[in-house]
Amino acid sequence: MKNICFASIPGNRCRILTVKKCSGRTCSFYKTEEQQKESLKRAYERLRNLGKKEQEDIARKYSRGKMFWQEGGDAIDG
């Protein structure tokens, strides 16, 4: 398992936060790729347990109507 943050990009930058330099493991948002996948898996499970109307409302508001959690994927790219 890699111990680099899932959000790190070349140049010691972060694709999530607007910081000039990645602070590595001291960052409160730091997660490995594996930890991020597990976090998304739990979030998708919570979303799948909501009622259909609630899921539709969330999808419309946050993901252009797309219900990623119903598609069987483990992660959202981008």
Side-chain angles (χ1 to χ4, degrees):
M1 175 168 81
K2 293 180 186 177
N3 286 326
I4 59 173
C5 184
F6 80 99
S8 85
I9 56 176
N12 201 27
R13 306 281 314 240
C14 179
R15 68 182 166 124
I16 305 297
L17 303 173
T18 55
V19 294
K20 293 184 180 189
K21 183 180 174 190
C22 173
S23 57
R25 289 178 177 240
T26 61
C27 176
S28 59
F29 291 95
Y30 173 87
K31 289 185 199 174
T32 64
E33 290 279 346
E34 190 62 34
Q35 290 169 323
Q36 176 64 2
K37 285 180 183 178
E38 189 59 35
S39 179
L40 284 174
K41 193 186 233 183
R42 287 190 311 267
Y44 287 175
E45 184 61 31
R46 286 190 304 269
L47 288 166
R48 280 192 292 272
N49 287 324
L50 295 173
K52 184 177 180 175
K53 173 79 168 98
E54 290 172 294
Q55 289 186 48
E56 290 170 349
D57 290 345
I58 290 168
R60 193 171 20 265
K61 185 170 183 175
Y62 296 105
S63 60
R64 298 182 189 134
K66 199 158 175 84
M67 291 190 226
F68 296 104
W69 55 92
Q70 294 294 353
E71 297 175 9
D74 287 337
I76 298 173
D77 279 333

